[in-house]
Amino acid sequence: MHGIVVDWIAHNAQNRPDDLAMIELPSGRKESYGEMHDRVGRVASWLMELGVNKGDRVGVLALNSIDTIDIVFATWRIGAVHLALNFRLTSSELDYIIGNSEPDVLIYDGELKNTVDSLTVNIPHVFETTGVGGESVFESAIAVQTPIIEMTDLHPDDQCMLMYSSGTTGLPKGVIITHKMMLFAQYNAASSMYCSQDMVSLAVMPLFHIGGLQVFTCPALFSGGTAVITRSFDPGLTLEAISDPELSVTHFLGVPAIFNALRDHPANKDADFSRLKVCLAGAETVPEALVTWWYERGVVIQEGYGMTENTASCCVLGYEDVPSKVGSAGKPLRHTQLKVVKEDGKEAASGESGEIWTRGPVVTPGYWRRPDANEETFVEGWLRTGDIGSIDEQGFVYVEDRLKDMYISGGENVYPAEVENILYQLEDIREVAVIGVPSERWGEIGCAVVALQEGSALTREFIIEYCKNKLARFKQPERVVFVDALPRNATGKVLKFELRKSVKL
């Protein structure tokens, strides 16, 4: 069964070598499929020269760039594993992930040098790139290589990526992603989201996220279309790119915070959205008022539902179901099964709430070196998502709440336990609970509900400042509310749903 994983880039280079594979904004770098095939081959050759073998991890810590995508496909070509690292994390947060995943190589963006210099874990090979094609150790190293043009024999169940998502205990979990998962995610995208060789995707979400990578950069490169990549999200540049008839962007993903920023930018009134075919919003429920505003502006925002564990390929609301079914995450994609399970283990009837479970070829086989998490998360091949939802009589899925306490800020998952562990380092804090509260800009932001030791004069400002060097920006609580005591049930568990209702901001 070996040798049946196809090299997407080699295939497209053979069939359409002069077609544009990638365009990088604002640097202006471009790669045709022929050029990408060659560059991917040279990166692959360099990695092998460094001693990278099948199954070894190659870490990338960088803002969005053509480099990241070239490295992804180079690791796949030699059977290695792309380790996607979140550049928003602090060095101490990255220390754990890198220590757990043990990459042989780390390639980092020059802008993140201070973070890399602060790492304490050992990495055999570390290299810097500019991320915009400028002179660097990375560019010099690959320039002299003879490209590897053929992919090593791989099985669909072989691992191709490792992406970390935070755990409820505060320790991140590495999600194993296989070649089969990626392949069926492309099939799902092609069958439901008009992904074809004519598509032009625009990536403003970070490529270390399954969302930024799979929706829609990978579908574009799988099908022979063009992937446009921005360094990071900039509302003015994004509106300019979408309006540009030469780029002709057809596919776009954003979180509600991104659509808010695009709505509020002064260039919106003159922007041209007429070439967009699929405009997807994900990571959190999209406010109805926001969808309505864009609908009246001529843009149909379809809500999607997915997670790293199912390759961001679970549900999508159909184009024709907006705005009539706004609030729904749509229906399961072609190669994804979904059901809602009640607390007693029985499947919920139409309209009944329960935990959303998914299974199929897009679902991860498990977590990296975490048998405990696997046992907790998987039941007879089904992935327990941790989300509460329901399915109506027409088969539309509604995501209602999160079973666990996670909240999403600007598209990033935040697990309160991790933030609470940091805050409990302050002796003046007797007890603390962190919850997500609504934010027009970010969807949700963190609010620390704090009960102080008797006589303490600890201030809100001190608490917020304390978190700054210990947590990534999106995890830092923006609000602090002081209470006499946290509400708890009979067994002592903090009633966070009560806090969300009672906290006065």
Side-chain angles (χ1 to χ4, degrees):
M1 288 289 285
H2 281 262
I4 54 175
V5 173
V6 173
D7 187 323
W8 308 355
I9 307 308
H11 173 81
N12 288 330
Q14 185 177 28
N15 288 280
R16 45 198 332 112
D18 298 326
D19 286 9
L20 267 180
M22 294 193 286
I23 302 171
E24 184 178 85
L25 305 177
S27 74
R29 276 201 293 174
K30 296 178 180 180
E31 279 184 5
S32 69
Y33 276 104
E35 291 165 339
M36 186 178 181
H37 179 46
D38 176 76
R39 185 170 162 88
V40 164
R42 284 187 284 115
V43 176
S45 180
W46 170 65
L47 291 173
M48 285 199 77
E49 188 179 88
L50 292 172
V52 176
N53 295 306
K54 182 179 176 181
D56 291 343
R57 275 75 61 207
V58 176
V60 175
L61 180 71
L63 280 72
N64 288 359
S65 79
I66 278 177
D67 296 344
T68 297
I69 302 301
D70 285 336
I71 294 164
V72 169
F73 285 100
T75 59
W76 293 5
R77 190 165 286 183
I78 61 173
V81 174
H82 170 62
L83 171 63
L85 296 169
N86 184 340
F87 61 75
R88 294 169 177 164
L89 299 180
T90 63
S91 53
S92 59
E93 291 168 313
L94 287 166
D95 267 337
Y96 172 79
I97 291 172
I98 292 169
N100 182 254
S101 57
E102 298 181 297
D104 282 49
V105 178
L106 174 65
I107 301 152
Y108 73 92
D109 201 304
E111 286 192 27
L112 304 166
K113 189 176 189 307
N114 289 343
T115 301
V116 173
D117 287 346
S118 301
L119 294 172
T120 62
V121 287
N122 178 56
I123 309 163
H125 303 286
V126 181
F127 299 92
E128 183 177 320
T129 176
T130 63
V132 290
E135 283 187 27
S136 67
V137 177
F138 171 73
E139 291 293 340
S140 299
I142 66 171
V144 296
Q145 299 294 325
T146 301
I148 293 171
I149 59 172
E150 288 188 6
M151 181 179 258
T152 190
D153 281 356
L154 294 171
H155 188 275
D157 289 327
D158 285 336
Q159 184 177 353
C160 67
M161 289 199 292
L162 185 58
M163 286 187 172
Y164 279 77
S165 62
S166 298
T168 51
T169 61
L171 288 177
K173 293 182 290 188
V175 179
I176 294 168
I177 296 172
T178 67
H179 285 280
K180 180 171 74 175
M181 290 168 65
M182 291 304 295
L183 179 63
F184 278 91
Q186 309 324 308
Y187 293 161
N188 275 348
S191 65
S192 300
M193 287 169 274
Y194 306 102
C195 293
S196 69
Q197 66 190 44
D198 301 318
M199 73 181 288
V200 179
S201 64
L202 174 61
V204 300
M205 299 273 285
L207 294 172
F208 61 72
H209 263 180
I210 195 64
L213 192 63
Q214 174 52 32
V215 194
F216 292 95
T217 303
C218 278
L221 296 171
F222 175 79
S223 57
T226 303
V228 180
I229 293 165
T230 61
R231 193 110 167 99
S232 59
F233 173 63
D234 174 277
L237 180 63
T238 302
L239 290 169
E240 190 179 310
I242 290 172
S243 300
D244 187 345
E246 285 191 30
L247 287 178
S248 287
V249 172
T250 59
H251 287 66
F252 180 76
L253 168 74
V255 295
I258 284 175
F259 286 106
N260 280 334
L262 294 176
R263 177 197 63 192
D264 297 338
H265 195 276
N268 186 295
K269 64 181 183 345
D270 299 316
D272 178 7
F273 302 101
S274 63
R275 285 170 289 273
L276 281 178
K277 290 182 181 176
V278 181
C279 199
L280 211 65
E284 58 199 273
T285 301
V286 191
E288 188 172 344
L290 186 64
V291 177
T292 302
W293 189 93
W294 279 101
Y295 188 77
E296 290 171 355
R297 180 68 177 81
V299 177
V300 174
I301 296 180
Q302 299 170 243
E303 187 167 336
Y305 170 63
M307 54 204 300
T308 311
E309 286 87 340
N310 53 31
T311 334
S313 189
C314 189
C315 296
V316 69
L317 185 63
Y319 187 95
E320 66 284 352
D321 295 314
V322 180
S324 64
K325 283 287 186 178
V326 168
S328 168
K331 296 182 179 181
L333 296 168
R334 181 167 293 183
H335 296 285
T336 305
Q337 287 180 281
L338 182 148
K339 66 179 179 178
V340 173
V341 179
K342 297 187 295 183
E343 279 191 41
D344 60 8
K346 293 178 181 174
E347 193 165 345
S350 294
E352 275 192 308
S353 294
E355 185 179 12
I356 297 171
W357 291 16
T358 69
R359 75 173 177 186
V362 294
V363 172
T364 180
Y367 295 106
W368 178 260
R369 297 174 175 173
R370 289 290 300 273
D372 58 321
N374 291 339
E375 194 173 331
E376 181 186 308
T377 308
F378 297 94
V379 181
E380 297 175 355
W382 288 91
L383 166 74
R384 300 183 57 180
T385 66
D387 290 319
I388 296 293
S390 61
I391 305 173
D392 70 13
E393 289 183 357
Q394 296 171 291
F396 287 90
V397 177
Y398 290 81
V399 183
E400 297 163 355
D401 205 346
R402 284 176 285 278
L403 187 65
K404 296 163 185 166
D405 295 322
M406 181 195 86
Y407 62 93
I408 299 173
S409 185
E412 294 276 6
N413 292 356
V414 184
Y415 286 84
E418 186 179 5
V419 186
E420 290 160 3
N421 287 341
I422 295 294
L423 291 172
Y424 270 124
Q425 294 171 5
L426 293 169
E427 292 181 1
D428 278 11
I429 291 180
R430 188 173 82 251
E431 53 180 0
V432 60
V434 173
I435 57 173
V437 295
S439 160
E440 184 172 343
R441 184 177 183 189
W442 301 114
E444 290 175 292
I445 54 171
C447 174
V449 184
V450 177
L452 295 174
Q453 303 286 6
E454 194 171 339
S456 170
L458 198 66
T459 64
R460 169 192 176 278
E461 289 75 17
F462 184 91
I463 290 170
I464 288 174
E465 190 64 31
Y466 182 77
C467 293
K468 281 188 177 172
N469 295 322
K470 295 177 174 60
L471 291 164
R473 179 71 188 86
F474 65 87
K475 296 180 186 176
Q476 296 166 21
E478 288 196 23
R479 298 184 183 178
V480 177
V481 173
F482 294 100
V483 294
D484 293 331
L486 297 178
R488 297 177 184 272
N489 66 11
T491 60
K493 182 175 172 57
V494 175
L495 301 173
K496 289 196 173 179
F497 68 93
E498 292 284 355
L499 285 178
R500 292 187 192 99
K501 287 191 288 186
S502 64
V503 163
K504 300 290 187 290
L505 298 172

